[in-house]
Amino acid sequence: ADSTNAIRAALAASGGVLVPPGRFRITDTIQLGYGQALIGVGERSVIQAREAPYDHAALPDYPSDFNAVELVDGYALVENLRIVGGASGVKIYGATGPAVRNVVRNVSIWDARNGITLDGYVTPDRPCYWNWITDVFIGRPAHNGVLLTVETNGDTPNANKFTRVRVYSLAAPLTGCGFFLSAARFQNAFTDCEANLHPGGQACFRLGAFTDETCITNFYAES
């Protein structure tokens, strides 16, 4: 069954949703606003942004053209979930307010085009700063595992912290990078992270032209 409207209604009513064990199919993006939370009980709580469930024995075809979960303001939490599919499994950007102090923790993202995207978006008044992404596994992304970018006239994502984030191709082809900082200025930090990629990928960790002052500690790269 399509659970999109049920999850949206619960978020609107209470600001937080507990996702019990089960597979919850969505056909459009779940957006978290200021201070909202989407919390599961671990890998058995699945948000599925495509028709077919995850199949470890079949290479994905990446049909989803919408982001599975978006954090569009500040102080939101996504925790203890498995996300399957999506243009991005999780995207953080300031659509309704500054995207600051959001937390993504103990989440696995499978078969998304981009695993996690942080976007400075369209105006410096709604920056993408000081977000924490920790204990995240990104499996079989089509393009990039982690992407930091700026869509148009916003500021670059700054001062975001990634800890124990692993990107793993598991033999699925990949056209981009494990971690691609296309535009990411000032004190983004990556600690104990890993990219283990299909050999068709561009790089395990790539710094773009609009990126500087990046802290990378104890990074593991393998192809």
Side-chain angles (χ1 to χ4, degrees):
D2 186 351
S3 300
T4 309
N5 289 336
I7 296 172
R8 287 174 172 173
L11 280 170
S14 65
V17 171
L18 175 62
V19 182
R23 197 165 62 231
F24 295 88
R25 171 83 167 100
I26 60 172
T27 54
D28 201 0
T29 302
I30 301 299
Q31 282 194 346
L32 273 65
Y34 183 89
Q36 293 187 326
L38 188 66
I39 302 172
V41 297
E43 284 291 305
R44 294 176 63 201
S45 298
V46 181
I47 300 293
Q48 183 175 306
R50 67 181 193 192
E51 184 175 355
Y54 169 74
D55 182 353
H56 72 277
L59 293 179
D61 56 6
Y62 309 104
S64 305
D65 58 0
F66 60 91
N67 300 320
V69 177
E70 293 182 346
L71 286 64
V72 296
D73 208 305
Y75 293 83
L77 171 65
V78 177
E79 185 176 43
N80 298 338
L81 287 171
R82 171 180 282 209
I83 298 171
V84 177
S88 287
V90 175
K91 183 174 181 177
I92 303 175
Y93 66 108
T96 60
V100 298
R101 187 43 180 88
N102 294 292
V103 176
V104 179
R105 180 171 54 214
N106 194 29
V107 171
S108 70
I109 301 171
W110 290 89
D111 301 352
R113 294 180 190 174
N114 293 299
I116 294 180
T117 300
L118 273 62
D119 187 352
Y121 204 43
V122 296
T123 172
D125 295 333
R126 296 178 181 175
C128 187
Y129 294 171
W130 305 300
N131 299 287
W132 285 275
I133 294 90
T134 184
D135 296 310
V136 171
F137 179 85
I138 300 169
R140 310 197 305 186
H143 301 315
N144 302 290
V146 173
L147 173 64
L148 274 62
T149 188
V150 57
E151 186 170 307
T152 53
N153 297 318
D155 198 359
T156 68
N158 299 336
N160 300 285
K161 310 303 179 188
F162 294 77
T163 306
R164 296 183 299 275
V165 177
R166 186 185 192 202
V167 181
Y168 199 4
S169 286
L170 287 166
L174 175 116
T175 61
C177 306
F179 296 74
F180 182 22
L181 280 59
S182 171
R185 289 209 151 116
F186 311 128
Q187 296 304 316
N188 292 291
F190 299 81
T191 304
D192 297 337
C193 295
E194 174 184 340
N196 191 325
L197 300 187
H198 187 279
Q202 295 179 359
C204 287
F205 203 114
R206 181 181 181 188
L207 301 177
F210 298 98
T211 299
D212 52 26
E213 298 184 25
T214 303
C215 178
I216 306 169
T217 307
N218 196 36
F219 185 81
Y220 181 84
E222 182 176 342
S223 176

PDB file of all heavy atoms in Angstrom, residues 24-53:
ATOM      1  N   PHE A  24       7.357   0.300   4.152  1.00  0.00           N
ATOM      2  CA  PHE A  24       6.396   1.370   3.920  1.00  0.00           C
ATOM      3  C   PHE A  24       6.699   2.025   2.577  1.00  0.00           C
ATOM      4  O   PHE A  24       7.683   2.744   2.424  1.00  0.00           O
ATOM      5  CB  PHE A  24       6.434   2.377   5.072  1.00  0.00           C
ATOM      6  CG  PHE A  24       5.991   1.765   6.370  1.00  0.00           C
ATOM      7  CD1 PHE A  24       6.908   1.132   7.189  1.00  0.00           C
ATOM      8  CD2 PHE A  24       4.660   1.778   6.743  1.00  0.00           C
ATOM      9  CE1 PHE A  24       6.517   0.542   8.370  1.00  0.00           C
ATOM     10  CE2 PHE A  24       4.248   1.185   7.927  1.00  0.00           C
ATOM     11  CZ  PHE A  24       5.184   0.565   8.744  1.00  0.00           C
ATOM     12  N   ARG A  25       5.850   1.753   1.614  1.00  0.00           N
ATOM     13  CA  ARG A  25       6.013   2.234   0.243  1.00  0.00           C
ATOM     14  C   ARG A  25       5.614   3.698   0.163  1.00  0.00           C
ATOM     15  O   ARG A  25       4.556   4.104   0.665  1.00  0.00           O
ATOM     16  CB  ARG A  25       5.118   1.394  -0.676  1.00  0.00           C
ATOM     17  CG  ARG A  25       5.016   1.910  -2.105  1.00  0.00           C
ATOM     18  CD  ARG A  25       6.177   1.442  -2.945  1.00  0.00           C
ATOM     19  NE  ARG A  25       5.902   1.674  -4.352  1.00  0.00           N
ATOM     20  CZ  ARG A  25       6.383   2.702  -5.044  1.00  0.00           C
ATOM     21  NH1 ARG A  25       7.141   3.605  -4.465  1.00  0.00           N
ATOM     22  NH2 ARG A  25       6.104   2.827  -6.326  1.00  0.00           N
ATOM     23  N   ILE A  26       6.467   4.528  -0.462  1.00  0.00           N
ATOM     24  CA  ILE A  26       6.114   5.917  -0.729  1.00  0.00           C
ATOM     25  C   ILE A  26       6.237   6.174  -2.224  1.00  0.00           C
ATOM     26  O   ILE A  26       7.055   5.563  -2.905  1.00  0.00           O
ATOM     27  CB  ILE A  26       6.982   6.915   0.066  1.00  0.00           C
ATOM     28  CG1 ILE A  26       8.474   6.769  -0.284  1.00  0.00           C
ATOM     29  CG2 ILE A  26       6.760   6.759   1.564  1.00  0.00           C
ATOM     30  CD1 ILE A  26       9.359   7.856   0.311  1.00  0.00           C
ATOM     31  N   THR A  27       5.390   7.075  -2.725  1.00  0.00           N
ATOM     32  CA  THR A  27       5.394   7.416  -4.146  1.00  0.00           C
ATOM     33  C   THR A  27       5.727   8.880  -4.375  1.00  0.00           C
ATOM     34  O   THR A  27       5.669   9.367  -5.500  1.00  0.00           O
ATOM     35  CB  THR A  27       4.022   7.102  -4.766  1.00  0.00           C
ATOM     36  OG1 THR A  27       2.997   7.765  -4.022  1.00  0.00           O
ATOM     37  CG2 THR A  27       3.760   5.597  -4.753  1.00  0.00           C
ATOM     38  N   ASP A  28       6.083   9.588  -3.312  1.00  0.00           N
ATOM     39  CA  ASP A  28       6.507  10.981  -3.405  1.00  0.00           C
ATOM     40  C   ASP A  28       7.343  11.286  -2.164  1.00  0.00           C
ATOM     41  O   ASP A  28       7.366  10.519  -1.201  1.00  0.00           O
ATOM     42  CB  ASP A  28       5.299  11.911  -3.500  1.00  0.00           C
ATOM     43  CG  ASP A  28       5.647  13.276  -4.094  1.00  0.00           C
ATOM     44  OD1 ASP A  28       6.833  13.488  -4.438  1.00  0.00           O
ATOM     45  OD2 ASP A  28       4.752  14.124  -4.200  1.00  0.00           O
ATOM     46  N   THR A  29       7.998  12.429  -2.179  1.00  0.00           N
ATOM     47  CA  THR A  29       8.949  12.785  -1.135  1.00  0.00           C
ATOM     48  C   THR A  29       8.275  12.989   0.222  1.00  0.00           C
ATOM     49  O   THR A  29       7.218  13.610   0.313  1.00  0.00           O
ATOM     50  CB  THR A  29       9.681  14.076  -1.538  1.00  0.00           C
ATOM     51  OG1 THR A  29      10.342  13.866  -2.786  1.00  0.00           O
ATOM     52  CG2 THR A  29      10.695  14.482  -0.480  1.00  0.00           C
ATOM     53  N   ILE A  30       8.919  12.487   1.262  1.00  0.00           N
ATOM     54  CA  ILE A  30       8.557  12.817   2.635  1.00  0.00           C
ATOM     55  C   ILE A  30       9.446  13.972   3.084  1.00  0.00           C
ATOM     56  O   ILE A  30      10.671  13.826   3.132  1.00  0.00           O
ATOM     57  CB  ILE A  30       8.742  11.615   3.568  1.00  0.00           C
ATOM     58  CG1 ILE A  30       7.887  10.429   3.101  1.00  0.00           C
ATOM     59  CG2 ILE A  30       8.420  11.992   5.005  1.00  0.00           C
ATOM     60  CD1 ILE A  30       6.403  10.694   3.090  1.00  0.00           C
ATOM     61  N   GLN A  31       8.844  15.125   3.381  1.00  0.00           N
ATOM     62  CA  GLN A  31       9.597  16.301   3.810  1.00  0.00           C
ATOM     63  C   GLN A  31       9.475  16.487   5.319  1.00  0.00           C
ATOM     64  O   GLN A  31       8.381  16.432   5.878  1.00  0.00           O
ATOM     65  CB  GLN A  31       9.089  17.563   3.112  1.00  0.00           C
ATOM     66  CG  GLN A  31       9.554  17.718   1.696  1.00  0.00           C
ATOM     67  CD  GLN A  31       9.324  19.126   1.158  1.00  0.00           C
ATOM     68  OE1 GLN A  31       8.591  19.918   1.750  1.00  0.00           O
ATOM     69  NE2 GLN A  31       9.963  19.452   0.048  1.00  0.00           N
ATOM     70  N   LEU A  32      10.624  16.726   5.951  1.00  0.00           N
ATOM     71  CA  LEU A  32      10.658  17.062   7.365  1.00  0.00           C
ATOM     72  C   LEU A  32      10.960  18.545   7.499  1.00  0.00           C
ATOM     73  O   LEU A  32      11.975  19.039   6.973  1.00  0.00           O
ATOM     74  CB  LEU A  32      11.722  16.249   8.106  1.00  0.00           C
ATOM     75  CG  LEU A  32      11.295  14.869   8.628  1.00  0.00           C
ATOM     76  CD1 LEU A  32      10.960  13.937   7.469  1.00  0.00           C
ATOM     77  CD2 LEU A  32      12.382  14.270   9.498  1.00  0.00           C
ATOM     78  N   GLY A  33      10.070  19.259   8.201  1.00  0.00           N
ATOM     79  CA  GLY A  33      10.273  20.665   8.474  1.00  0.00           C
ATOM     80  C   GLY A  33      11.006  20.875   9.788  1.00  0.00           C
ATOM     81  O   GLY A  33      11.608  19.948  10.356  1.00  0.00           O
ATOM     82  N   TYR A  34      10.929  22.072  10.298  1.00  0.00           N
ATOM     83  CA  TYR A  34      11.681  22.460  11.493  1.00  0.00           C
ATOM     84  C   TYR A  34      11.343  21.546  12.676  1.00  0.00           C
ATOM     85  O   TYR A  34      10.185  21.393  13.061  1.00  0.00           O
ATOM     86  CB  TYR A  34      11.354  23.902  11.866  1.00  0.00           C
ATOM     87  CG  TYR A  34      12.136  24.419  13.056  1.00  0.00           C
ATOM     88  CD1 TYR A  34      13.374  25.020  12.881  1.00  0.00           C
ATOM     89  CD2 TYR A  34      11.633  24.282  14.342  1.00  0.00           C
ATOM     90  CE1 TYR A  34      14.096  25.480  13.962  1.00  0.00           C
ATOM     91  CE2 TYR A  34      12.350  24.742  15.429  1.00  0.00           C
ATOM     92  CZ  TYR A  34      13.584  25.341  15.243  1.00  0.00           C
ATOM     93  OH  TYR A  34      14.287  25.790  16.329  1.00  0.00           O
ATOM     94  N   GLY A  35      12.377  20.912  13.244  1.00  0.00           N
ATOM     95  CA  GLY A  35      12.227  20.135  14.455  1.00  0.00           C
ATOM     96  C   GLY A  35      11.467  18.834  14.315  1.00  0.00           C
ATOM     97  O   GLY A  35      11.181  18.184  15.323  1.00  0.00           O
ATOM     98  N   GLN A  36      11.146  18.405  13.112  1.00  0.00           N
ATOM     99  CA  GLN A  36      10.387  17.169  12.946  1.00  0.00           C
ATOM    100  C   GLN A  36      11.314  15.955  12.940  1.00  0.00           C
ATOM    101  O   GLN A  36      12.530  16.077  12.743  1.00  0.00           O
ATOM    102  CB  GLN A  36       9.553  17.223  11.666  1.00  0.00           C
ATOM    103  CG  GLN A  36       8.441  18.258  11.718  1.00  0.00           C
ATOM    104  CD  GLN A  36       7.518  18.189  10.526  1.00  0.00           C
ATOM    105  OE1 GLN A  36       7.923  17.889   9.410  1.00  0.00           O
ATOM    106  NE2 GLN A  36       6.245  18.494  10.748  1.00  0.00           N
ATOM    107  N   ALA A  37      10.730  14.776  13.167  1.00  0.00           N
ATOM    108  CA  ALA A  37      11.534  13.569  13.299  1.00  0.00           C
ATOM    109  C   ALA A  37      10.866  12.392  12.604  1.00  0.00           C
ATOM    110  O   ALA A  37       9.648  12.242  12.639  1.00  0.00           O
ATOM    111  CB  ALA A  37      11.749  13.235  14.774  1.00  0.00           C
ATOM    112  N   LEU A  38      11.705  11.566  11.990  1.00  0.00           N
ATOM    113  CA  LEU A  38      11.285  10.311  11.371  1.00  0.00           C
ATOM    114  C   LEU A  38      12.206   9.240  11.943  1.00  0.00           C
ATOM    115  O   LEU A  38      13.400   9.202  11.615  1.00  0.00           O
ATOM    116  CB  LEU A  38      11.401  10.398   9.853  1.00  0.00           C
ATOM    117  CG  LEU A  38      10.839   9.255   9.018  1.00  0.00           C
ATOM    118  CD1 LEU A  38       9.321   9.193   9.149  1.00  0.00           C
ATOM    119  CD2 LEU A  38      11.230   9.424   7.554  1.00  0.00           C
ATOM    120  N   ILE A  39      11.664   8.380  12.813  1.00  0.00           N
ATOM    121  CA  ILE A  39      12.486   7.477  13.607  1.00  0.00           C
ATOM    122  C   ILE A  39      11.966   6.055  13.456  1.00  0.00           C
ATOM    123  O   ILE A  39      10.777   5.794  13.625  1.00  0.00           O
ATOM    124  CB  ILE A  39      12.472   7.881  15.091  1.00  0.00           C
ATOM    125  CG1 ILE A  39      12.977   9.320  15.262  1.00  0.00           C
ATOM    126  CG2 ILE A  39      13.317   6.925  15.930  1.00  0.00           C
ATOM    127  CD1 ILE A  39      12.811   9.865  16.661  1.00  0.00           C
ATOM    128  N   GLY A  40      12.853   5.131  13.138  1.00  0.00           N
ATOM    129  CA  GLY A  40      12.495   3.727  13.062  1.00  0.00           C
ATOM    130  C   GLY A  40      13.077   2.948  14.223  1.00  0.00           C
ATOM    131  O   GLY A  40      13.587   3.514  15.200  1.00  0.00           O
ATOM    132  N   VAL A  41      13.023   1.631  14.098  1.00  0.00           N
ATOM    133  CA  VAL A  41      13.572   0.758  15.127  1.00  0.00           C
ATOM    134  C   VAL A  41      14.799   0.009  14.602  1.00  0.00           C
ATOM    135  O   VAL A  41      15.228  -0.980  15.193  1.00  0.00           O
ATOM    136  CB  VAL A  41      12.499  -0.225  15.641  1.00  0.00           C
ATOM    137  CG1 VAL A  41      11.366   0.511  16.301  1.00  0.00           C
ATOM    138  CG2 VAL A  41      11.972  -1.104  14.511  1.00  0.00           C
ATOM    139  N   GLY A  42      15.354   0.467  13.484  1.00  0.00           N
ATOM    140  CA  GLY A  42      16.522  -0.174  12.891  1.00  0.00           C
ATOM    141  C   GLY A  42      16.253  -0.622  11.468  1.00  0.00           C
ATOM    142  O   GLY A  42      15.346  -0.132  10.792  1.00  0.00           O
ATOM    143  N   GLU A  43      17.029  -1.596  11.020  1.00  0.00           N
ATOM    144  CA  GLU A  43      16.974  -2.039   9.629  1.00  0.00           C
ATOM    145  C   GLU A  43      15.634  -2.648   9.233  1.00  0.00           C
ATOM    146  O   GLU A  43      15.321  -2.757   8.056  1.00  0.00           O
ATOM    147  CB  GLU A  43      18.085  -3.059   9.363  1.00  0.00           C
ATOM    148  CG  GLU A  43      19.457  -2.449   9.235  1.00  0.00           C
ATOM    149  CD  GLU A  43      19.598  -1.625   7.970  1.00  0.00           C
ATOM    150  OE1 GLU A  43      19.353  -2.151   6.879  1.00  0.00           O
ATOM    151  OE2 GLU A  43      19.941  -0.448   8.091  1.00  0.00           O
ATOM    152  N   ARG A  44      14.832  -3.011  10.181  1.00  0.00           N
ATOM    153  CA  ARG A  44      13.519  -3.594   9.856  1.00  0.00           C
ATOM    154  C   ARG A  44      12.475  -2.525   9.578  1.00  0.00           C
ATOM    155  O   ARG A  44      11.362  -2.850   9.144  1.00  0.00           O
ATOM    156  CB  ARG A  44      13.072  -4.505  10.993  1.00  0.00           C
ATOM    157  CG  ARG A  44      13.941  -5.737  11.167  1.00  0.00           C
ATOM    158  CD  ARG A  44      13.508  -6.542  12.382  1.00  0.00           C
ATOM    159  NE  ARG A  44      12.151  -7.037  12.224  1.00  0.00           N
ATOM    160  CZ  ARG A  44      11.379  -7.412  13.241  1.00  0.00           C
ATOM    161  NH1 ARG A  44      11.825  -7.316  14.483  1.00  0.00           N
ATOM    162  NH2 ARG A  44      10.158  -7.868  13.015  1.00  0.00           N
ATOM    163  N   SER A  45      12.793  -1.275   9.823  1.00  0.00           N
ATOM    164  CA  SER A  45      11.891  -0.165   9.490  1.00  0.00           C
ATOM    165  C   SER A  45      12.328   0.406   8.154  1.00  0.00           C
ATOM    166  O   SER A  45      13.357   1.078   8.064  1.00  0.00           O
ATOM    167  CB  SER A  45      11.942   0.917  10.571  1.00  0.00           C
ATOM    168  OG  SER A  45      11.512   0.423  11.819  1.00  0.00           O
ATOM    169  N   VAL A  46      11.562   0.134   7.101  1.00  0.00           N
ATOM    170  CA  VAL A  46      11.990   0.418   5.727  1.00  0.00           C
ATOM    171  C   VAL A  46      11.068   1.444   5.087  1.00  0.00           C
ATOM    172  O   VAL A  46       9.848   1.251   5.028  1.00  0.00           O
ATOM    173  CB  VAL A  46      12.001  -0.872   4.875  1.00  0.00           C
ATOM    174  CG1 VAL A  46      12.479  -0.566   3.458  1.00  0.00           C
ATOM    175  CG2 VAL A  46      12.871  -1.940   5.529  1.00  0.00           C
ATOM    176  N   ILE A  47      11.660   2.528   4.603  1.00  0.00           N
ATOM    177  CA  ILE A  47      10.969   3.481   3.729  1.00  0.00           C
ATOM    178  C   ILE A  47      11.374   3.132   2.299  1.00  0.00           C
ATOM    179  O   ILE A  47      12.559   3.224   1.943  1.00  0.00           O
ATOM    180  CB  ILE A  47      11.342   4.933   4.062  1.00  0.00           C
ATOM    181  CG1 ILE A  47      10.970   5.274   5.512  1.00  0.00           C
ATOM    182  CG2 ILE A  47      10.674   5.888   3.085  1.00  0.00           C
ATOM    183  CD1 ILE A  47       9.496   5.298   5.787  1.00  0.00           C
ATOM    184  N   GLN A  48      10.421   2.732   1.478  1.00  0.00           N
ATOM    185  CA  GLN A  48      10.711   2.206   0.141  1.00  0.00           C
ATOM    186  C   GLN A  48      10.201   3.171  -0.922  1.00  0.00           C
ATOM    187  O   GLN A  48       8.998   3.273  -1.152  1.00  0.00           O
ATOM    188  CB  GLN A  48      10.065   0.833  -0.007  1.00  0.00           C
ATOM    189  CG  GLN A  48      10.351   0.152  -1.333  1.00  0.00           C
ATOM    190  CD  GLN A  48       9.779  -1.253  -1.364  1.00  0.00           C
ATOM    191  OE1 GLN A  48      10.052  -2.068  -0.496  1.00  0.00           O
ATOM    192  NE2 GLN A  48       8.965  -1.523  -2.368  1.00  0.00           N
ATOM    193  N   ALA A  49      11.127   3.861  -1.589  1.00  0.00           N
ATOM    194  CA  ALA A  49      10.767   4.897  -2.560  1.00  0.00           C
ATOM    195  C   ALA A  49      10.755   4.358  -3.988  1.00  0.00           C
ATOM    196  O   ALA A  49      11.180   5.028  -4.931  1.00  0.00           O
ATOM    197  CB  ALA A  49      11.730   6.076  -2.443  1.00  0.00           C
ATOM    198  N   ARG A  50      10.280   3.167  -4.165  1.00  0.00           N
ATOM    199  CA  ARG A  50      10.121   2.557  -5.484  1.00  0.00           C
ATOM    200  C   ARG A  50       9.196   1.368  -5.323  1.00  0.00           C
ATOM    201  O   ARG A  50       8.861   0.945  -4.211  1.00  0.00           O
ATOM    202  CB  ARG A  50      11.468   2.127  -6.054  1.00  0.00           C
ATOM    203  CG  ARG A  50      12.120   0.996  -5.277  1.00  0.00           C
ATOM    204  CD  ARG A  50      13.467   0.604  -5.831  1.00  0.00           C
ATOM    205  NE  ARG A  50      13.900  -0.670  -5.263  1.00  0.00           N
ATOM    206  CZ  ARG A  50      15.126  -1.145  -5.377  1.00  0.00           C
ATOM    207  NH1 ARG A  50      16.046  -0.463  -6.043  1.00  0.00           N
ATOM    208  NH2 ARG A  50      15.445  -2.301  -4.837  1.00  0.00           N
ATOM    209  N   GLU A  51       8.775   0.807  -6.433  1.00  0.00           N
ATOM    210  CA  GLU A  51       7.816  -0.292  -6.372  1.00  0.00           C
ATOM    211  C   GLU A  51       8.432  -1.577  -5.849  1.00  0.00           C
ATOM    212  O   GLU A  51       7.852  -2.267  -5.004  1.00  0.00           O
ATOM    213  CB  GLU A  51       7.202  -0.525  -7.755  1.00  0.00           C
ATOM    214  CG  GLU A  51       6.115  -1.578  -7.761  1.00  0.00           C
ATOM    215  CD  GLU A  51       5.442  -1.700  -9.114  1.00  0.00           C
ATOM    216  OE1 GLU A  51       5.764  -0.903 -10.025  1.00  0.00           O
ATOM    217  OE2 GLU A  51       4.591  -2.592  -9.257  1.00  0.00           O
ATOM    218  N   ALA A  52       9.625  -1.910  -6.333  1.00  0.00           N
ATOM    219  CA  ALA A  52      10.236  -3.191  -5.975  1.00  0.00           C
ATOM    220  C   ALA A  52      11.026  -3.065  -4.676  1.00  0.00           C
ATOM    221  O   ALA A  52      11.747  -2.097  -4.464  1.00  0.00           O
ATOM    222  CB  ALA A  52      11.163  -3.657  -7.090  1.00  0.00           C
ATOM    223  N   PRO A  53      10.945  -4.050  -3.802  1.00  0.00           N
ATOM    224  CA  PRO A  53      11.753  -4.025  -2.582  1.00  0.00           C
ATOM    225  C   PRO A  53      13.226  -4.273  -2.892  1.00  0.00           C
ATOM    226  O   PRO A  53      13.595  -4.685  -3.993  1.00  0.00           O
ATOM    227  CB  PRO A  53      11.164  -5.162  -1.747  1.00  0.00           C
ATOM    228  CG  PRO A  53      10.582  -6.100  -2.747  1.00  0.00           C
ATOM    229  CD  PRO A  53      10.078  -5.240  -3.876  1.00  0.00           C
TER     230      PRO A  53
END
